[in-house]
Amino acid sequence: MAAAALSAAVAANLSRTGDGFVALAMTLLAYAVAELLGGFGFLAVFVSALTLRNASRDHDYHDRLYSFAEETERLLMMSLLVLFGGIVAFGGLLAGFDWWMLLFVAGLLLIVGPAAGLLSLAGSRLPWREQLVISFFGIRGMGSIYYLAFALNHASFPDPHRLWSIVGGVVLASILLHGITVTPALRLVDRWQLRRGEFA
């Protein structure tokens, strides 16, 4: 509730500033306040985003804010990838990686992830081919680093380094596999859509 109240107070004047950094600061502030009060920061950020979106819903500021968020996400993702590459190359993240981990990573990326994606798209009006493509690519894997860090801070595990190796392997394999296949897959989807348009 504190996050919603804070967001509502800031959102009233936010559209007048035209500054995406104010929205970013509000997000970080909501996260910090929630964590200081013993709450869940991610949930506070989610509530803040919903409150901000509902304030002046039709204002063109939302389009500018979306563009700013997209650019910021690209910048942060690039920074994270550079840091991740450094940890893989020099930090020994994959030092304990073995064949069982490799099988787990392959099963997660090729079977479990796509199956979960298809299940979540059940009942969707999208054509089945597009559902397959969406399910294969799924969501980005960098968030799993945060989730593992959160879990390790709130519980004890027998072999944390093994967990870090598995998560690192999943992220690295996802970067390689999805990075190589995304362009051909999107071209294929474009061809399917053009063909469907021709025969519609």
Side-chain angles (χ1 to χ4, degrees):
M1 288 300 154
L6 179 65
S7 299
V10 176
N13 296 317
L14 186 58
S15 59
R16 289 182 221 145
T17 67
D19 192 354
F21 284 105
V22 176
L24 181 61
M26 186 183 75
T27 301
L28 296 174
L29 184 62
Y31 183 90
V33 168
E35 289 290 329
L36 284 172
L37 295 174
F40 190 42
F42 262 19
L43 188 59
V45 169
F46 178 72
V47 171
S48 297
L50 285 179
T51 306
L52 176 62
R53 181 68 183 102
N54 286 325
S56 307
R57 181 175 274 279
D58 298 326
H59 201 283
D60 65 347
Y61 173 70
H62 290 295
D63 293 332
R64 283 180 283 151
L65 186 59
Y66 179 78
S67 300
F68 172 80
E70 209 170 40
E71 291 298 320
T72 304
E73 182 190 3
R74 284 187 191 140
L75 181 63
L76 290 173
M77 187 58 69
M78 182 195 67
S79 304
L80 282 172
L81 286 174
V82 169
L83 291 172
F84 178 73
I87 293 170
V88 169
F90 307 110
L93 181 65
L94 301 178
F97 208 76
D98 58 27
W99 286 104
W100 289 111
M101 291 182 183
L102 183 62
L103 285 173
F104 178 80
V105 168
L108 194 64
L109 289 177
L110 300 175
I111 299 168
V112 177
L118 280 174
L119 187 63
S120 68
L121 290 170
S124 167
R125 294 180 179 170
L126 287 171
W128 66 271
R129 289 174 175 172
E130 291 179 28
Q131 288 185 29
L132 283 176
V133 172
I134 292 170
S135 300
F136 175 71
F137 288 104
I139 59 173
R140 291 178 181 155
M142 282 302 223
S144 53
I145 293 172
Y146 170 83
Y147 297 126
L148 179 57
F150 182 84
L152 290 173
N153 281 329
H154 289 80
S156 58
F157 295 89
D159 193 356
H161 187 268
R162 187 172 176 83
L163 293 175
W164 278 116
S165 293
I166 291 170
V167 168
V170 169
V171 172
L172 181 61
S174 173
I175 290 169
L176 295 173
L177 176 67
H178 296 152
I180 291 168
T181 58
V182 67
T183 302
L186 291 179
R187 284 184 186 148
L188 196 59
V189 168
D190 286 342
R191 279 203 295 268
W192 288 337
Q193 288 175 340
L194 282 172
R195 206 173 298 157
R196 204 170 68 238
E198 287 173 8
F199 297 108

